[in-house]
Amino acid sequence: MSVKIGEHIDLGEFPLLLAPMEDVSDPPFRYVCKQNGVDMMYTEFISSEGLIRDAAKSRQKLDIFEYERPIGIQIFGSDIEHMRQSAEICTQANPNLIDINYGCPVKNVACRGAGASLLQDIDKMVAMTKAVVDATHLPVTVKTRLGWDDSTKNVYEVAERLQDIGIKALAIHGRTRAQMYKGQADWSMIRDVKQNPRIKIPIFGNGDVDSVEKAAAWRQEYQVDGIMIGRASIGYPWIFREIKHFFQTGERLEGPTIAERVDVCRTHLTKSIEWKGDKTGIFEMRRHYANYFKGIPNFKEYRMKLVELQDVNHIIEVLEDIRHNFAEEVA
């Protein structure tokens, strides 16, 4: 059975989704994930206030490309009318869907009444979601958490009420807001939402999937419609390829070689510069190098060079040195 969002988005039998991550899931990063088999992606989350004020940074995040489809634009905010206006702006950018963030736990979002903060006011969450649904012809989906804290785990109510007003899929991160990213994600409540006979929309599980084995085990154990992967894909977009291969064959795919790591890192760098310009593209790429070459012994010297250099040709020279000098290492 294919998993469908609305009438037109067919994600295949068990889709793998790239979680929207601030300062990470921009077009350059999405490009390398798409090349490695991810089934659906989202933009970084975009402030509704930024969109309606026409802030350059927010507007730039609306950039999407044909090869990325299906792709969703994710928005967040605390004002219902501003979220409605944002949905109209996003619709003009022509994504495949609009996603609302009710999960972000960080202070400058949640403490301003947006993101996971709405888990403290389900009536407002419902009203906000309905305003977005009514403002666009596109499918609307939601990403949220189990609840605000251990004493208010209300995701069952959230799922039913949001489905009732027209959302087409729900992604659930298996932690409360109070947990942030600490402790273990609890997928048992995600399974309970999925097994609720009232729930007809796809339910995607998110949180702590960082290996082929975990993806396979949790697919069986928690019976979700698909898995959303975030942090484990940073510097390791091959995770999508490896999980898919395991699902199809039951066998583990070899990890990427040093040459592959260098190639994908170079592609990411090139795309970053194309999209953001030399200065910003090089600067923002610095956060990724350590992840691309994680686990390689005696790498510190190269990492220091990569994060200090400001000329793309010099960075590429270092990357080619890595290809040459670590070719014999086991990746």
Side-chain angles (χ1 to χ4, degrees):
M1 283 285 289
S2 266
V3 174
K4 285 193 161 184
I5 296 178
E7 291 175 28
H8 304 298
I9 304 172
D10 188 334
L11 298 178
E13 188 186 340
F14 188 84
L16 302 178
L17 287 66
L18 174 66
M21 292 177 284
E22 176 68 353
D23 293 330
V24 176
S25 48
D26 57 12
F29 181 70
R30 297 198 302 262
Y31 181 86
V32 296
C33 289
K34 190 71 175 180
Q35 295 229 301
N36 280 281
V38 70
D39 293 299
M40 192 165 87
M41 305 187 291
Y42 303 82
T43 61
E44 300 168 80
F45 71 170
I46 307 176
S47 160
S48 57
E49 304 300 321
L51 281 179
I52 63 174
R53 286 200 317 269
D54 210 16
K57 191 176 180 193
S58 297
R59 285 283 176 161
Q60 189 188 28
K61 289 181 182 176
L62 291 174
D63 285 358
I64 53 176
F65 300 91
E66 278 306 308
Y67 63 77
E68 298 184 294
R69 297 189 184 278
I71 186 162
I73 291 176
Q74 192 190 65
I75 54 175
F76 74 98
S78 59
D79 182 280
I80 292 172
E81 174 58 19
H82 293 174
M83 286 289 280
R84 186 193 68 74
Q85 291 174 33
S86 296
E88 292 178 344
I89 294 166
C90 290
T91 302
Q92 290 167 6
N94 196 29
N96 298 89
L97 60 86
I98 293 173
D99 188 76
I100 308 174
N101 181 309
Y102 294 135
C104 181
V106 300
K107 272 187 180 172
N108 67 356
V109 173
C111 293
R112 290 184 184 167
S117 175
L118 275 300
L119 286 162
Q120 299 175 103
D121 188 346
I122 306 302
D123 288 345
K124 182 177 178 183
M125 180 194 281
V126 170
M128 183 178 283
T129 307
K130 186 170 189 332
V132 171
V133 169
D134 290 348
T136 182
H137 68 278
L138 297 168
V140 174
T141 62
V142 162
K143 181 161 191 268
T144 191
R145 289 184 168 231
L146 303 179
W148 180 255
D149 56 26
D150 279 347
S151 62
T152 56
K153 289 182 178 174
N154 46 16
V155 71
Y156 305 137
E157 179 188 353
V158 166
E160 288 191 357
R161 292 184 66 183
L162 295 188
Q163 176 182 266
D164 289 348
I165 53 153
I167 72 163
K168 300 303 183 189
L170 179 65
I172 305 169
H173 182 101
R175 289 181 174 87
T176 63
R177 188 270 167 176
Q179 283 179 276
M180 301 295 284
Y181 295 100
K182 298 185 178 74
Q184 281 191 307
D186 174 10
W187 281 51
S188 60
M189 290 184 73
I190 305 176
R191 177 179 55 206
D192 292 345
V193 171
K194 175 60 195 167
Q195 291 181 342
N196 177 350
R198 273 204 64 206
I199 296 296
K200 308 298 182 193
I201 58 175
I203 302 295
F204 302 120
N206 173 232
D208 293 354
V209 176
D210 56 8
S211 69
V212 168
E213 291 80 8
K214 212 178 265 188
W218 290 9
R219 176 184 183 177
Q220 294 299 320
E221 186 175 351
Y222 297 111
Q223 303 292 303
V224 289
D225 293 296
I227 288 174
M228 180 181 278
I229 296 172
R231 288 174 292 168
S233 66
I234 299 173
Y236 203 84
W238 302 279
I239 192 166
F240 300 106
R241 176 179 81 177
E242 291 175 11
I243 291 171
K244 285 195 152 178
H245 183 81
F246 189 83
F247 285 166
Q248 287 160 3
T249 67
E251 294 171 3
R252 279 213 60 136
L253 198 61
E254 287 289 315
T257 62
I258 293 295
E260 278 185 290
R261 291 182 188 220
V262 170
D263 287 343
V264 172
C265 187
R266 271 192 69 161
T267 299
H268 193 166
L269 172 65
T270 303
K271 291 286 179 186
S272 189
I273 290 168
E274 282 175 9
W275 190 57
K276 301 171 187 174
D278 277 19
K279 189 176 178 184
T280 307
I282 287 168
F283 178 75
E284 294 197 355
M285 192 63 196
R286 289 174 180 175
R287 65 172 70 101
H288 293 285
Y289 295 124
N291 290 305
Y292 272 116
F293 300 105
K294 203 174 187 174
I296 298 174
N298 308 313
F299 187 73
K300 187 176 178 185
E301 177 195 340
Y302 291 92
R303 186 178 68 80
M304 296 305 288
K305 283 184 189 171
L306 288 169
V307 299
E308 286 167 0
L309 291 170
Q310 296 179 18
D311 179 277
V312 64
N313 294 318
H314 294 157
I315 295 169
I316 287 171
E317 281 174 20
V318 175
L319 289 172
E320 291 308 313
D321 282 349
I322 293 166
R323 185 198 304 272
H324 178 73
N325 295 337
F326 291 97
E328 302 306 312
E329 299 280 356
V330 178

